[in-house]
Amino acid sequence: MKRFTLPNTDIEAPNVILGLMRIQDKTDDEVRELVRTARDAGIDFVDHADVYGNDLHGCERRFAEAMQLTASDRDAITIQTKAGIVGDGPYFDFSYEHLIESVNGSLDALQTDRIDILLLHRPDALVEPEEVARAFDELETAGKVRAFGVSNHTPRQIDLLKRFVRQPIVANQVQLSITHSPVVSQGVAANMLGEQQSVTLDGGGIVDYCRLHDITLQAWSPFQAGFFTGVFLGSPEYPELNAVIDRLAAQYDVPPIAIATAWITRHPAQMQVVLGTTSPERVAGAALGSDLPLTRAEWYELFRAAGHLVP
Ligand SMILES: NC(=O)c1ccc[n+]([C@@H]2O[C@H](COP(=O)([O-])OP(=O)(O)OC[C@H]3O[C@@H](n4cnc5c(N)ncnc54)[C@H](OP(=O)(O)O)[C@@H]3O)[C@@H](O)[C@H]2O)c1
């Protein structure tokens, strides 16, 4: 498992992490086996959100109840969670009161005294960055949150926050898979009249922006074809892509999921892949893609086979 120190933190992290959005209905044993398999593969970093689960803090609570972490177990795991979505609506809320209430709820559900990384989940159109700054200062001073980041944010939205927030923004979690890759594919086809791929959907150059500012990109839904439309792996809708994935999987002697993971980890921005599977076997397979050295030609072949233009 490839590891690195998250820039602007003292957190040492793997480049494949375990998303726990889908564990609400899993038994204690299933959650424990999932986390144990991940840890055996070197994945000691979990991704939560207050809104994951059937009710508020549902997956965070399921995780803590199943794991019953001792103090030393807790120290050995990096726990990231998110705030800012109000599920009942839905709408977004980056107000001071909401952020404080959300973090207190997460700490309680996770049965811990600190969140290692807190992400602002989705941009709030009504954001008042001074309020975010006040909440971050209070959470940091109280020792409740160690580091702060964002999710689904554009470069300008991050700039606006940075104008007021004192703490570094250390992560930006965005949707990225071989098939759903506007943050990568737009730049490849920039400035081409009439080409859909040329259209800027991410506020403009989010990957380059994050690289320039030492913000670690985290790729959510790494195997989903689109926005929760099902995975592309093994899908009859992507015969060409799966043929290339299967050929490379055989060549590198890994399961196909490792190739799909490697397509993201191969990117020099040093991104983290946020797995969502609840299958221990798939987690172990994906982990094999952590430092699988796809060649430039192979990376682009996968990109083309997913239907992207290489002009
Ligand atoms: N920041 C955000 O806005 C945001 C949004 C969404 C998600 N996330 C985070 O990203 C994580 C990953 O998201 P995701 O769950 O959508 O990503 P994913 O890993 O691309 O998809 C996993 C889902 O696909 C299913 N699946 C079916 N066949 C599969 C196969 N061959 N290989 C792998 N999975 C297969 C899994 O089922 P099984 O469990 O049965 O394997 C699971 O339901 C979440 O847990 C969450 O932490 C963040």
Side-chain angles (χ1 to χ4, degrees):
M1 176 63 55
K2 186 172 163 198
R3 302 182 70 84
F4 63 105
T5 301
L6 277 185
N8 289 314
T9 75
D10 57 3
I11 296 171
E12 219 244 320
N15 68 347
V16 179
I17 68 179
L18 186 65
L20 294 173
M21 180 180 78
R22 301 180 187 268
I23 62 164
Q24 180 71 78
D25 299 324
K26 300 294 169 189
T27 65
D28 288 358
D29 282 347
E30 286 168 334
V31 174
R32 283 191 214 118
E33 199 199 335
L34 179 68
V35 176
R36 190 185 324 118
T37 306
R39 294 205 55 192
D40 287 349
I43 302 171
D44 54 4
F45 187 126
V46 295
D47 181 67
H48 280 284
D50 56 356
V51 287
Y52 293 165
N54 297 337
D55 49 15
L56 195 56
H57 303 292
C59 287
E60 294 175 326
R61 197 171 297 111
R62 186 80 286 277
F63 170 77
E65 284 172 358
M67 296 305 298
Q68 296 293 322
L69 295 176
T70 63
S72 67
D73 289 341
R74 168 64 190 92
D75 289 346
I77 294 181
T78 298
I79 299 182
Q80 171 173 279
T81 194
K82 314 183 195 77
I85 295 182
V86 178
D88 229 356
Y91 62 92
F92 306 122
D93 188 348
F94 287 3
S95 66
Y96 166 85
E97 288 77 13
H98 180 78
L99 295 178
I100 298 291
E101 188 185 328
S102 168
V103 169
N104 285 335
S106 290
L107 290 170
D108 184 52
L110 287 162
Q111 299 175 24
T112 186
D113 59 353
R114 68 203 184 273
I115 305 295
D116 295 303
I117 306 175
L118 176 73
L119 305 184
L120 298 176
H121 203 154
R122 271 198 178 273
D124 175 10
L126 304 181
V127 62
E128 290 167 280
E130 303 90 331
E131 292 251 318
V132 175
R134 188 156 69 94
F136 280 12
D137 279 346
E138 185 172 309
L139 292 168
E140 184 184 54
T141 305
K144 292 181 177 180
V145 176
R146 293 172 63 198
F148 299 86
V150 296
S151 177
N152 305 303
H153 274 57
T154 68
R156 294 293 82 78
Q157 288 166 338
I158 297 173
D159 280 342
L160 179 61
L161 287 172
K162 278 158 69 98
R163 168 95 163 68
F164 296 90
V165 166
R166 284 186 316 106
Q167 298 79 5
I169 301 295
V170 305
N172 188 12
Q173 191 175 112
V174 300
Q175 185 174 6
L176 175 63
S177 70
I178 309 178
T179 52
H180 185 286
S181 59
V183 298
V184 170
S185 62
Q186 187 275 330
V188 173
N191 196 33
M192 296 190 71
L193 203 59
E195 286 295 341
Q196 177 62 26
Q197 191 179 313
S198 189
V199 175
T200 297
L201 299 174
D202 68 350
I206 189 63
V207 171
D208 301 323
Y209 177 91
C210 289
R211 293 178 81 176
L212 282 165
H213 292 85
D214 287 331
I215 297 171
T216 298
L217 284 152
Q218 301 179 336
W220 62 264
S221 285
F223 313 121
Q224 296 289 316
F227 185 58
F228 304 131
T229 51
V231 297
F232 56 79
L233 289 166
S235 163
E237 285 175 40
Y238 294 90
E240 198 188 331
L241 175 60
N242 279 294
V244 178
I245 289 174
D246 291 349
R247 193 194 80 232
L248 292 173
Q251 181 187 315
Y252 284 102
D253 194 20
V254 293
I257 195 171
I259 300 297
T261 303
W263 186 81
I264 299 168
T265 59
R266 168 62 178 83
H267 195 286
Q270 193 153 253
M271 302 178 184
Q272 292 178 299
V273 178
V274 193
L275 304 178
T277 179
T278 55
S279 147
E281 189 189 344
R282 287 177 174 148
V283 168
L288 297 173
S290 162
D291 55 3
L292 192 150
L294 288 176
T295 66
R296 196 176 284 266
E298 289 163 350
W299 189 92
Y300 272 106
E301 185 183 7
L302 288 162
F303 183 73
R304 291 194 311 269
H308 302 302
L309 176 69
V310 178

